[in-house]
Amino acid sequence: MSRNAESTAFRSALEVIRAVEPRVADAIGAELTDQRESLKLIASENYASPATLLAMGNWFSDKYAEGTVGRRFYAGCQNVDTVEALAAEHARELFGAAHAYVQPHSGIDANLVAFWAVLADRVESPALKKAQVRQVNDLTEADWFALRRELGNQRMLGMSLDAGGHLTHGFRPNISGKMFDQRSYGTDPVTGLIDYDRVAEAAREFKPLILVGGYSAYPRKVNFRILREIADSVGATFMVDMAHFAGLVAGKVFTGDFDPVPHAHIVTTTTHKSLRGPRGGMVLCQPELADQVDRGCPMVLGGPLPHVMAAKAVALAEARRPDFADYATRIVDNAQALAEGLLRRGAKLVTGGTDNHLVLIDVSGYGLTGRQAEQALLDSGIVTNRNSVPQDANGAWYTSGIRVGTPALTTRGLGTAEMDQTAELIHTVLAQTTAGANADGTPSKAKYTLDPDLADKIARQATDLLAPHPLYPAINLT
Ligand code: PLP
């Protein structure tokens, strides 16, 4: 395929859009410019391939396809069946999974599908059994009451939010924290690492129905074999949310005890972070949960997005190529180079480093909150996000941390030498930013001072760093 084809495809698409609503075409163009010019260190973002992006912009978007392959509630789904089956096949082969469900619209949706599947599989509820065998009309009001009582208030044990867990692993602001009786495991206060003995102790005391592994902001490998043993010892279903590190599993950087797929009963993921696909979610599971998982739509999800499933099939096919393993290895090499560069310059890192795609900087070492650091870095052309650190004194809004990740810059082709330069830019900004004060003189968690000339200089240096690695080099919109 000629590189020109990519340029023609996107230019033509924008021309068609511009004829209807030019402001949308302009915004799409501006987004490409912004992404090209900023040093993107958001650990959960990436750059999908032109093939993946193009697979979403078509008439598959018009199809309703509730149900699953070959068992739809709508007629005329033969082509949707083709792409859904392809995406599922690529996912099974890539991850060595017994079953793959590729319909979830996002990671949160994938987790809800998984929760439903585990509840339906595990909760002893005669009323639910009746409902499952489609005797719904035979259920009395008392049956429904019992069903709600039996499904509600089940127990979930997941990683705490400030240790790096995700909202959907049982936290109050999310529905998982409202429907489950939740307890969490944290990390060792000195090392910042998961203490598996403490997890086992919490599991023994709490006896969860579901033990959740996986994280959004934990910079280390997790031993899923040990977590499975803990789950087995208390009769829990072991679920892993690998949304963040799915690309490292796909690229065989995480194998053996660190690959969740052979160890978990059920694995959920997003497809758009380190896996570098379209925005979306996916569930992988063992055969006994497959039937419940496949009820995801319409049980939990709205109609599937066939255009996104087509893009998932494309991205998963890309992830099965040998060069994806090289990409995944480089993600981790880059994260480690970034961590070493920061440490050498005196930054304080949670766990003292990384063995995955992300680094968590404790910016209290610079006298800043996460919010101040995030904004000062943004002023300097460096895009990151603030994040809690374990036992965070500033809470989940202001935080004391900055999370940085390497999947996106690695896609652009930046390497370890450039990660050291990136560490220099981050350190300079953080070291030169000072926390501000409120009008009454008390310390502000949001205000800060950074010399605008320095911010401009760093932004220019960030652009210089990116210049040899153009984003979507074949695409020229002018
Ligand atoms: N699970 C984990 C571990 C995540 O980090 C995230 C997103 O940040 C999600 C789930 C939710 O993904 P989405 O935004 O696609 O719903």
Side-chain angles (χ1 to χ4, degrees), residues 353-365:
T354 180
D355 37 42
N356 58 22
H357 63 298
L358 69 90
V359 176
L360 194 54
I361 311 169
D362 183 342
V363 293
S364 65

Side-chain angles (χ1 to χ4, degrees), residues 106-108 111 166 215-216 241 243-244 270 272-273:
S106 74
I108 286 186
N111 286 348
H166 189 254
Y215 52 79
S216 297
D241 178 350
H244 258 265
T270 54
H272 49 273
K273 302 186 205 270

Side-chain angles (χ1 to χ4, degrees), residues 213-283:
Y215 52 79
S216 297
Y218 180 69
R220 294 292 177 179
K221 285 181 179 170
V222 174
N223 189 317
F224 297 112
R225 178 185 54 77
I226 298 180
L227 288 182
R228 171 61 188 261
E229 284 168 10
I230 295 171
D232 284 348
S233 73
V234 296
T237 296
F238 181 37
M239 166 177 160
V240 175
D241 178 350
M242 64 170 183
H244 258 265
F245 54 91
L248 305 184
V249 179
K252 311 291 177 243
V253 174
F254 286 177
T255 56
D257 292 354
F258 308 106
D259 175 353
V261 180
H263 300 293
H265 296 98
I266 189 160
V267 175
T268 58
T269 185
T270 54
T271 46
H272 49 273
K273 302 186 205 270
S274 55
L275 195 51
R276 206 165 61 181
R279 296 200 71 85
M282 207 160 65
V283 181

Side-chain angles (χ1 to χ4, degrees), residues 165 167 193 279 307 362 381 404 419 474:
L167 271 183
L193 301 173
R279 296 200 71 85
H307 55 308
D362 183 342
V404 288
M419 289 304 116

